[in-house]
Coordinates of all heavy atoms in Angstrom, one line a residue:
W21 N 2.5 -1.7 -25.5 CA 3.1 -0.9 -24.4 C 4.2 0.0 -24.9 O 4.8 -0.3 -25.9 CB 3.8 -1.9 -23.4 CG 4.1 -1.3 -22.1 CD1 5.3 -0.9 -21.7 CD2 3.2 -1.1 -21.0 NE1 5.3 -0.4 -20.4 CE2 4.0 -0.6 -19.9 CE3 1.9 -1.4 -20.7 CZ2 3.4 -0.2 -18.7 CZ3 1.3 -1.1 -19.5 CH2 2.1 -0.5 -18.5
W25 N 5.1 4.4 -20.7 CA 3.9 3.9 -20.0 C 4.3 3.4 -18.6 O 5.4 2.9 -18.4 CB 3.2 2.8 -20.7 CG 2.6 3.1 -22.0 CD1 3.0 4.1 -22.9 CD2 1.3 2.6 -22.6 NE1 2.2 4.1 -24.0 CE2 1.1 3.2 -23.8 CE3 0.4 1.7 -22.1 CZ2 0.0 2.9 -24.6 CZ3 -0.7 1.4 -22.9 CH2 -0.9 2.0 -24.1
A26 N 3.4 3.5 -17.6 CA 3.6 2.9 -16.3 C 2.4 2.4 -15.7 O 1.3 2.9 -15.9 CB 4.2 4.0 -15.4
W27 N 2.5 1.2 -15.0 CA 1.4 0.7 -14.2 C 1.2 1.6 -13.0 O 2.1 2.1 -12.4 CB 1.7 -0.7 -13.7 CG 1.9 -1.7 -14.8 CD1 3.1 -2.3 -15.2 CD2 1.0 -2.3 -15.7 NE1 2.9 -3.2 -16.2 CE2 1.6 -3.2 -16.5 CE3 -0.4 -2.1 -15.8 CZ2 0.9 -4.0 -17.5 CZ3 -1.1 -2.8 -16.8 CH2 -0.4 -3.7 -17.7
L28 N -0.1 1.8 -12.7 CA -0.4 2.6 -11.5 C -1.0 1.6 -10.4 O -1.9 0.9 -10.6 CB -1.5 3.6 -11.9 CG -2.1 4.4 -10.7 CD1 -1.0 5.3 -10.1 CD2 -3.2 5.3 -11.3
G29 N -0.3 1.6 -9.3 CA -0.8 0.9 -8.1 C -1.6 1.8 -7.3 O -2.6 2.4 -7.7
G30 N -1.1 2.1 -6.1 CA -1.8 3.1 -5.2 C -1.5 4.5 -5.5 O -2.2 5.5 -5.1
G31 N -0.4 4.7 -6.3 CA 0.0 6.1 -6.8 C 0.7 6.9 -5.7 O 1.0 8.1 -5.9
T32 N 1.0 6.3 -4.5 CA 1.6 7.1 -3.5 C 3.0 7.6 -3.8 O 3.4 8.6 -3.4 CB 1.7 6.3 -2.1 OG1 2.5 5.2 -2.3 CG2 0.3 5.9 -1.6
W33 N 3.7 6.8 -4.7 CA 5.0 7.4 -5.2 C 4.8 8.1 -6.5 O 5.3 9.2 -6.7 CB 6.0 6.2 -5.3 CG 7.3 6.7 -5.8 CD1 8.2 7.4 -5.1 CD2 7.8 6.7 -7.1 NE1 9.3 7.8 -5.9 CE2 9.0 7.4 -7.2 CE3 7.3 6.2 -8.3 CZ2 9.8 7.5 -8.3 CZ3 8.0 6.3 -9.5 CH2 9.3 7.0 -9.5
L34 N 4.0 7.5 -7.4 CA 3.9 8.1 -8.7 C 3.3 9.5 -8.6 O 3.7 10.4 -9.4 CB 2.9 7.3 -9.6 CG 3.6 6.1 -10.3 CD1 2.5 5.2 -10.9 CD2 4.6 6.5 -11.3
F35 N 2.4 9.8 -7.7 CA 1.9 11.2 -7.5 C 2.6 12.0 -6.5 O 2.2 13.1 -6.2 CB 0.4 11.1 -7.2 CG -0.5 10.5 -8.3 CD1 -1.1 9.3 -8.1 CD2 -0.6 11.1 -9.5 CE1 -1.9 8.8 -9.2 CE2 -1.3 10.6 -10.5 CZ -2.0 9.4 -10.4
S36 N 3.7 11.5 -6.0 CA 4.4 12.2 -5.0 C 5.5 13.1 -5.5 O 6.1 14.0 -4.8 CB 5.0 11.3 -3.9 OG 6.1 10.6 -4.4
Q39 N 7.0 13.2 -12.8 CA 7.4 11.9 -13.5 C 7.5 12.3 -15.0 O 6.7 11.9 -15.8 CB 6.3 10.8 -13.4 CG 5.8 10.5 -11.9 CD 6.9 9.7 -11.2 OE1 7.9 9.2 -11.8 NE2 6.8 9.7 -9.9
Q41 N 9.1 11.3 -17.4 CA 9.2 10.2 -18.4 C 7.9 9.5 -18.6 O 7.8 8.6 -19.5 CB 10.3 9.3 -18.0 CG 10.0 8.3 -16.9 CD 9.8 8.9 -15.5 OE1 9.9 10.1 -15.3 NE2 9.5 8.1 -14.5
V42 N 6.8 9.8 -17.8 CA 5.6 9.0 -17.9 C 4.5 9.8 -18.7 O 4.1 10.9 -18.3 CB 5.0 8.6 -16.5 CG1 3.7 7.9 -16.6 CG2 6.1 7.8 -15.7
L45 N -0.6 6.4 -17.9 CA -0.7 5.6 -16.7 C -1.8 4.5 -16.9 O -2.9 4.8 -17.4 CB -1.2 6.5 -15.5 CG -0.1 7.2 -14.8 CD1 -0.7 8.0 -13.6 CD2 1.0 6.3 -14.3
T48 N -4.3 -0.3 -12.2 CA -4.5 -1.8 -12.0 C -5.7 -2.0 -11.1 O -6.1 -3.2 -10.9 CB -3.3 -2.4 -11.4 OG1 -3.0 -1.8 -10.1 CG2 -2.0 -2.3 -12.2
W53 N -8.2 -8.4 -9.0 CA -7.3 -9.4 -8.5 C -7.6 -9.5 -7.0 O -7.7 -8.6 -6.2 CB -5.9 -9.0 -8.7 CG -5.5 -9.0 -10.1 CD1 -6.1 -9.6 -11.1 CD2 -4.3 -8.4 -10.6 NE1 -5.4 -9.4 -12.3 CE2 -4.3 -8.7 -12.0 CE3 -3.2 -7.6 -10.1 CZ2 -3.3 -8.2 -12.9 CZ3 -2.2 -7.2 -11.0 CH2 -2.3 -7.5 -12.3
A67 N -1.1 -8.3 -6.2 CA -0.2 -7.1 -6.3 C -1.0 -5.9 -5.9 O -0.4 -4.9 -5.4 CB 0.4 -7.0 -7.7
S68 N -2.3 -5.8 -6.2 CA -3.1 -4.6 -5.9 C -3.6 -4.6 -4.5 O -4.4 -3.7 -4.1 CB -4.2 -4.4 -7.0 OG -4.8 -5.6 -7.2
C69 N -3.2 -5.5 -3.7 CA -3.6 -5.5 -2.2 C -3.0 -4.3 -1.5 O -1.8 -4.1 -1.5 CB -3.1 -6.8 -1.6 SG -3.4 -6.9 0.2
L71 N -1.4 -2.1 1.4 CA -0.6 -2.5 2.5 C -1.4 -2.6 3.8 O -1.1 -3.5 4.6 CB 0.5 -1.5 2.7 CG 1.6 -1.4 1.6 CD1 2.7 -0.4 2.0 CD2 2.2 -2.8 1.3
A95 N 6.9 -0.1 9.5 CA 8.2 0.5 9.3 C 8.2 1.5 8.2 O 9.2 2.3 8.0 CB 9.2 -0.6 9.0
L96 N 7.2 1.5 7.3 CA 7.1 2.5 6.2 C 7.1 3.9 6.8 O 6.2 4.2 7.6 CB 5.8 2.2 5.4 CG 5.8 2.8 4.0 CD1 6.4 1.8 3.0 CD2 4.4 3.1 3.6
A97 N 8.1 4.6 6.4 CA 8.2 6.0 7.0 C 7.2 6.9 6.4 O 7.5 7.8 5.7 CB 9.7 6.5 6.8
A98 N 6.0 6.6 6.6 CA 4.9 7.3 5.9 C 3.7 7.5 6.7 O 3.6 6.9 7.8 CB 4.6 6.6 4.6
S99 N 2.8 8.3 6.3 CA 1.6 8.5 7.0 C 0.6 7.3 6.8 O 0.7 6.5 5.9 CB 0.9 9.8 6.5 OG 0.4 9.6 5.2
V102 N -0.8 7.0 3.3 CA 0.1 6.3 2.4 C -0.2 4.8 2.5 O -0.3 4.1 1.5 CB 1.6 6.7 2.5 CG1 2.4 5.7 1.7 CG2 1.8 8.1 2.2
M105 N -3.4 3.6 0.9 CA -3.4 3.6 -0.6 C -2.4 2.7 -1.2 O -2.6 2.1 -2.3 CB -3.2 5.1 -1.1 CG -4.1 6.1 -0.6 SD -5.7 5.9 -1.4 CE -5.4 6.1 -3.1
A106 N -1.2 2.7 -0.6 CA -0.1 2.0 -1.3 C -0.3 0.5 -1.4 O -1.0 -0.1 -0.5 CB 1.2 2.2 -0.5
T107 N 0.1 -0.1 -2.5 CA -0.1 -1.5 -2.8 C 1.1 -2.3 -2.6 O 2.2 -1.8 -2.6 CB -0.6 -1.7 -4.2 OG1 0.4 -1.3 -5.1 CG2 -1.9 -1.0 -4.5
V108 N 0.9 -3.6 -2.4 CA 2.0 -4.6 -2.2 C 2.9 -4.6 -3.5 O 4.1 -4.5 -3.5 CB 1.5 -6.0 -1.9 CG1 2.5 -7.0 -2.1 CG2 0.8 -6.0 -0.6
G109 N 2.2 -4.6 -4.7 CA 2.9 -4.6 -6.0 C 3.7 -3.3 -6.2 O 4.8 -3.3 -6.6
G110 N 3.1 -2.2 -5.8 CA 3.8 -0.9 -6.0 C 5.0 -0.8 -5.1 O 6.1 -0.3 -5.5
N111 N 4.9 -1.3 -3.9 CA 6.0 -1.3 -3.0 C 7.2 -2.1 -3.5 O 8.3 -1.7 -3.5 CB 5.6 -1.7 -1.6 CG 6.7 -1.5 -0.5 OD1 7.5 -2.3 -0.3 ND2 6.6 -0.3 0.0
I112 N 6.8 -3.3 -4.0 CA 7.9 -4.2 -4.4 C 8.5 -3.8 -5.7 O 9.7 -3.8 -5.9 CB 7.3 -5.7 -4.5 CG1 7.0 -6.2 -3.1 CG2 8.3 -6.6 -5.3 CD1 6.2 -7.5 -3.1
C113 N 7.6 -3.3 -6.6 CA 8.2 -2.9 -8.0 C 8.9 -1.6 -8.0 O 9.7 -1.3 -8.8 CB 7.0 -2.9 -9.0 SG 6.3 -4.6 -9.2
L114 N 8.5 -0.7 -7.1 CA 9.2 0.6 -7.0 C 10.7 0.3 -6.6 O 11.6 1.0 -7.1 CB 8.6 1.5 -5.9 CG 9.1 2.8 -5.7 CD1 9.2 3.6 -7.0 CD2 8.3 3.6 -4.6
A115 N 10.9 -0.7 -5.9 CA 12.3 -1.3 -5.6 C 13.2 -0.2 -5.0 O 14.4 -0.1 -5.4 CB 12.8 -1.9 -6.9
L116 N 12.7 0.6 -4.1 CA 13.6 1.5 -3.4 C 14.6 0.7 -2.6 O 14.3 -0.4 -2.1 CB 12.8 2.5 -2.5 CG 11.8 3.4 -3.1 CD1 11.1 4.2 -2.0 CD2 12.5 4.4 -4.1
S117 N 15.8 1.3 -2.4 CA 16.7 0.5 -1.5 C 16.1 0.4 -0.1 O 16.3 -0.6 0.6 CB 18.1 1.2 -1.4 OG 17.9 2.5 -1.0
V118 N 15.3 1.4 0.3 CA 14.6 1.3 1.6 C 13.3 0.6 1.6 O 12.5 0.6 2.5 CB 14.3 2.8 2.2 CG1 15.6 3.5 2.4 CG2 13.4 3.5 1.3
G119 N 13.0 -0.1 0.5 CA 11.8 -0.8 0.3 C 11.5 -1.7 1.5 O 12.3 -2.4 2.0
T120 N 10.2 -1.6 2.0 CA 9.9 -2.2 3.3 C 9.5 -3.7 3.2 O 9.8 -4.5 4.1 CB 8.9 -1.3 3.9 OG1 8.7 -1.7 5.3 CG2 7.5 -1.4 3.2
L121 N 8.9 -4.1 2.1 CA 8.4 -5.5 2.0 C 9.4 -6.4 1.4 O 9.5 -7.6 1.8 CB 7.2 -5.5 1.1 CG 5.8 -5.1 1.7 CD1 4.7 -5.3 0.6 CD2 5.5 -5.9 2.9
F149 N 14.6 -10.8 -7.7 CA 13.7 -9.8 -8.4 C 14.3 -8.4 -8.5 O 14.3 -7.7 -9.5 CB 12.4 -9.7 -7.7 CG 11.4 -8.8 -8.3 CD1 10.6 -9.2 -9.4 CD2 11.1 -7.5 -7.8 CE1 9.7 -8.4 -10.0 CE2 10.2 -6.7 -8.4 CZ 9.5 -7.1 -9.5
R154 N 15.8 1.0 -7.4 CA 14.9 1.3 -8.5 C 15.1 0.4 -9.8 O 14.7 0.8 -10.9 CB 14.9 2.8 -8.9 CG 14.7 3.8 -7.9 CD 13.2 4.1 -7.6 NE 12.3 3.7 -8.6 CZ 12.0 4.5 -9.6 NH1 12.5 5.7 -9.7 NH2 11.1 4.1 -10.5
L158 N 11.9 -6.8 -14.1 CA 10.7 -6.6 -15.0 C 11.1 -6.0 -16.3 O 11.9 -5.0 -16.3 CB 9.7 -5.7 -14.3 CG 8.9 -6.3 -13.2 CD1 7.9 -5.3 -12.6 CD2 8.2 -7.6 -13.5
E162 N 5.8 -5.7 -18.4 CA 5.6 -6.8 -17.5 C 5.0 -6.3 -16.2 O 5.3 -5.1 -15.8 CB 6.9 -7.6 -17.2 CG 7.2 -8.4 -18.5 CD 8.5 -9.3 -18.3 OE1 9.3 -9.0 -17.3 OE2 8.8 -10.1 -19.1
I163 N 4.2 -7.1 -15.5 CA 3.5 -6.6 -14.3 C 3.7 -7.7 -13.2 O 3.6 -8.9 -13.5 CB 2.0 -6.3 -14.6 CG1 1.4 -5.7 -13.4 CG2 1.3 -7.5 -15.1 CD1 0.0 -5.1 -13.7
L164 N 3.8 -7.3 -12.0 CA 3.8 -8.2 -10.9 C 2.3 -8.5 -10.6 O 1.5 -7.6 -10.3 CB 4.5 -7.6 -9.7 CG 4.4 -8.4 -8.4 CD1 5.1 -9.8 -8.5 CD2 5.0 -7.7 -7.2
R165 N 2.0 -9.8 -10.7 CA 0.6 -10.2 -10.5 C 0.3 -10.5 -9.1 O -0.7 -10.2 -8.5 CB 0.2 -11.3 -11.5 CG -1.0 -12.1 -11.2 CD -2.3 -11.2 -11.3 NE -3.5 -11.9 -10.9 CZ -4.0 -12.0 -9.7 NH1 -3.3 -11.3 -8.7 NH2 -5.1 -12.6 -9.4
R166 N 1.2 -11.4 -8.5 CA 0.9 -11.8 -7.1 C 2.1 -12.3 -6.4 O 3.1 -12.7 -7.1 CB -0.3 -12.8 -7.0 CG -0.1 -14.0 -7.9 CD -1.3 -14.8 -7.9 NE -1.1 -16.1 -8.5 CZ -1.8 -17.2 -8.4 NH1 -2.9 -17.2 -7.6 NH2 -1.5 -18.3 -9.0
R182 N 14.8 -2.2 12.0 CA 15.0 -1.1 11.1 C 15.6 0.0 11.9 O 15.3 0.3 13.1 CB 13.6 -0.6 10.7 CG 13.6 0.7 9.9 CD 12.1 1.1 9.6 NE 12.0 2.2 8.7 CZ 12.2 3.5 9.0 NH1 12.5 3.9 10.3 NH2 12.1 4.4 8.1
T188 N 10.5 9.1 11.5 CA 9.9 9.5 10.2 C 10.9 9.6 9.1 O 10.5 9.8 7.9 CB 9.1 10.8 10.3 OG1 10.0 11.8 10.9 CG2 7.8 10.7 11.1
D189 N 12.2 9.4 9.4 CA 13.2 9.5 8.3 C 13.2 8.1 7.6 O 12.8 7.1 8.1 CB 14.6 9.7 8.9 CG 14.8 11.1 9.3 OD1 13.9 11.9 9.1 OD2 15.9 11.4 9.9
S190 N 13.8 8.2 6.4 CA 14.1 6.9 5.7 C 15.0 6.0 6.4 O 15.9 6.5 7.2 CB 14.7 7.2 4.3 OG 13.8 7.8 3.5
A191 N 14.8 4.7 6.3 CA 15.7 3.8 7.0 C 17.1 3.9 6.5 O 17.4 4.0 5.3 CB 15.2 2.4 6.8
I194 N 18.1 -1.9 7.4 CA 17.0 -2.9 7.7 C 17.6 -4.3 7.8 O 18.5 -4.6 6.9 CB 15.9 -2.9 6.7 CG1 15.1 -1.5 6.7 CG2 14.9 -4.0 6.9 CD1 14.1 -1.4 5.6
Ligands
LIG301 C1 6.0 10.3 2.8 C2 6.4 9.0 2.0 C3 7.2 8.1 2.7 C4 7.6 6.9 2.0 N1 8.3 6.0 2.7 C5 8.7 4.8 2.1 C6 9.4 3.8 2.8 O1 9.8 4.0 4.0 N2 9.7 2.6 2.2 C7 9.2 2.4 1.0 O2 9.4 1.3 0.5 N3 8.5 3.3 0.3 C8 8.2 4.5 0.8 N4 7.5 5.4 0.1 C9 7.3 5.2 -1.3 C10 5.9 4.6 -1.7 O3 4.9 5.4 -1.2 C11 5.8 3.1 -1.3 O4 6.9 2.4 -1.7 C12 4.5 2.5 -1.8 O5 4.3 1.2 -1.2 C13 4.4 2.4 -3.3 O6 3.2 1.7 -3.6 P1 2.1 2.3 -4.6 O7 1.0 1.2 -4.8 O8 1.6 3.6 -4.1 O9 3.0 2.5 -5.9 P2 2.8 3.4 -7.1 O10 3.1 4.8 -6.8 O11 1.4 3.2 -7.8 O12 3.8 2.8 -8.1 C14 5.2 2.7 -7.8 C15 6.0 2.0 -8.9 O13 5.6 0.7 -9.1 C16 5.1 0.4 -10.4 N5 4.0 -0.6 -10.2 C17 3.0 -0.5 -9.4 N6 2.3 -1.6 -9.3 C18 3.0 -2.5 -10.2 C19 2.8 -3.9 -10.5 N7 1.7 -4.6 -10.1 N8 3.6 -4.4 -11.4 C20 4.7 -3.7 -11.9 N9 4.9 -2.4 -11.6 C21 4.1 -1.8 -10.7 C22 4.6 1.8 -10.9 O14 4.6 1.8 -12.3 C23 5.7 2.7 -10.3 O15 6.9 2.7 -11.0 C24 7.1 6.6 0.7 C25 6.3 7.6 0.1 C26 5.9 8.7 0.7 C27 5.0 9.7 0.0

Side-chain angles (χ1 to χ4, degrees):
W21 195 261
W25 290 37
W27 297 111
L28 173 64
T32 60
W33 180 77
L34 278 169
F35 292 117
S36 72
Q39 308 288 346
Q41 77 292 359
V42 177
L45 274 182
T48 60
W53 291 344
S68 42
C69 175
L71 295 183
L96 199 87
S99 66
V102 171
M105 299 290 296
T107 62
V108 167
N111 190 270
I112 291 171
C113 295
L114 182 56
L116 296 178
S117 57
V118 296
T120 191
L121 282 181
F149 184 79
R154 304 279 340 273
L158 290 181
E162 288 180 347
I163 187 167
L164 174 62
R165 164 66 186 87
R166 54 189 193 160
R182 173 188 190 276
T188 48
D189 282 359
S190 290
I194 292 175

